[in-house]
Amino acid sequence: MKAETAVLDIQGQYRVYTEFYRADSAEQTIILVNGSLSTTASFAQTVRYLHPHFNVVLFDLPYAGQSREHNQHTRFMSREEEADILLELVEHFACDIVLSFSWGGIATLQALARKPRRIKRAVINSFSPIVNSAMLGYLRSGLIVMREYDRESIGMVLNGTIGKHLPSLFKRYNHRHVTGLERYEYDQMSFHVENVLNNGGRSCISFAGQIEIPLLFVNGEWDEYTTAQDARMFTQHVQHCEFRTIGQAGHFLDMEHKAAWLQTRDALLAFLLPPLGSRQRQAAVLEDSALVG
């Protein structure tokens, strides 16, 4: 499975690195939105079960991953601008579905509130509409060490909080990744964290009610930071929403162990694919048409 890679010009302001995994039999395209300090590599486990059924699009924001070298980092990006980039990519790749992880849910919900014509469904992983006490502690601790550019402590905070349920291999990868980032990446993330802390929350409720398409919220049973219970508060604001809890999993869901990977896969595909009977009927219609032709 090899990706088609490209660096795209977005509104003449940014250059964005993209990966496109083409599936010859797929009828729909799904775009995945990274969490904080993450790159396309963080979705390696997710692509494995999406790709046979969908064309899959990954991308790095201008200040991250393989987009960094193509951009000037002279100012901070807002979540609104990240939503703008997402919508541009949705149009470019003719995407039908959006899937976000963790803080990527903020820009994703903002983008969906603008009612993009192509998007029919969305999945929001490891996200909730409030900042609870555990998340607040994580953000405050992270902000201190990012402001000081204390790389080792940044890695320790990540793996000791939202990453606590990851296997040791992934913890080592996370530590190596976050301790090797550029200073402007820490500054950018600090900017986002400060906005959340100053607003007393994620400010997503105000526009969640404008989203009309079906949403699936997926959270880990052991996730203290974006809990399944907190996620269900979206029922008060989103018109069409479903919820799934991944048993014995924390914040990183399908990265944590095989059983969580299987549960996450099954939850997403059950929501995104038509019922088996419908798929069989569609296949029969196509076969009949081929025979008639």
Side-chain angles (χ1 to χ4, degrees):
M1 183 174 60
K2 186 175 177 59
E4 302 170 21
T5 63
V7 178
L8 303 179
D9 180 84
I10 303 295
Q11 300 177 342
Q13 299 184 63
Y14 303 110
R15 303 277 288 169
V16 174
Y17 169 81
T18 64
E19 297 178 0
F20 182 66
Y21 293 86
R22 188 185 303 275
D24 292 336
S25 61
E27 298 180 357
Q28 297 184 89
T29 298
I30 183 169
I31 185 168
L32 312 188
V33 185
N34 294 324
S36 62
L37 301 179
S38 298
T39 70
T40 57
S42 65
F43 280 122
Q45 299 299 314
T46 310
V47 172
R48 286 174 54 205
Y49 55 77
L50 291 176
H51 178 255
H53 305 284
F54 306 98
N55 301 310
V56 182
V57 179
L58 309 181
F59 69 99
D60 286 333
L61 285 164
Y63 53 81
Q66 297 188 69
S67 292
R68 293 185 306 189
E69 63 182 288
H70 303 288
N71 294 277
Q72 299 293 322
H73 308 286
T74 57
R75 65 179 183 84
F76 298 132
M77 288 189 65
S78 67
R79 289 297 186 188
E80 290 76 14
E81 289 174 302
E82 294 182 8
D84 292 340
I85 290 172
L86 173 57
L87 291 173
E88 287 281 335
L89 295 175
V90 163
E91 286 295 318
H92 179 86
F93 288 101
C95 299
D96 309 278
I97 304 164
V98 179
L99 182 153
S100 68
F101 173 72
S102 193
W103 272 37
I106 303 177
T108 297
L109 291 173
Q110 288 193 2
L112 295 176
R114 303 182 199 176
K115 301 179 176 62
R117 62 187 180 88
R118 292 188 180 277
I119 299 299
K120 303 299 187 292
R121 284 175 177 258
V123 178
I124 312 296
N125 284 345
S126 299
F127 188 79
S128 78
I130 65 168
V131 176
N132 64 14
S133 58
M135 178 61 81
L136 187 62
Y138 165 61
L139 295 180
R140 286 174 172 167
S141 298
L143 187 59
I144 291 171
V145 294
M146 285 192 295
R147 282 173 172 169
E148 296 175 349
Y149 307 113
D150 184 346
R151 297 175 183 276
E152 287 300 313
S153 293
I154 292 171
M156 292 174 62
V157 167
L158 175 64
N159 282 333
T161 53
I162 61 173
K164 66 171 67 175
H165 298 294
L166 284 168
S168 58
L169 176 64
F170 285 106
K171 284 186 177 181
R172 289 196 297 271
Y173 170 79
N174 269 352
H175 190 275
R176 184 169 63 249
H177 171 67
V178 299
T179 57
L181 298 178
E182 300 290 341
R183 284 195 169 204
Y184 59 75
E185 293 181 83
Y186 299 138
D187 291 340
Q188 173 68 58
M189 192 57 208
S190 296
F191 171 73
H192 283 325
V193 170
E194 287 168 353
N195 283 338
V196 169
L197 294 176
N198 291 337
N199 290 332
R202 295 174 185 243
S203 301
C204 59
I205 293 299
S206 60
F207 47 80
Q210 302 172 41
I211 300 173
E212 298 176 349
I213 63 170
L215 301 183
L216 172 66
F217 294 91
V218 182
N219 299 81
E221 177 188 8
W222 292 344
D223 185 359
E224 307 164 40
Y225 304 90
T226 55
T227 71
Q229 180 179 0
D230 289 344
R232 289 181 179 273
M233 294 176 63
F234 274 115
T235 57
Q236 303 171 29
H237 308 279
V238 178
Q239 299 178 44
H240 308 287
C241 53
E242 299 179 27
F243 301 88
R244 298 290 184 276
T245 301
I246 307 304
Q248 299 183 334
H251 192 75
F252 283 92
L253 301 175
D254 57 16
M255 295 176 65
E256 296 187 351
H257 53 81
K258 185 62 177 290
W261 186 89
L262 291 170
Q263 287 183 65
T264 307
R265 178 200 66 182
D266 293 346
L268 267 59
L269 294 183
F271 176 74
L272 295 175
L273 293 175
L276 183 59
S278 299
R279 299 203 297 275
Q280 291 173 333
R281 287 194 295 273
Q282 290 171 2
V285 168
L286 290 173
E287 183 177 350
D288 291 343
S289 299
L291 291 172
V292 171

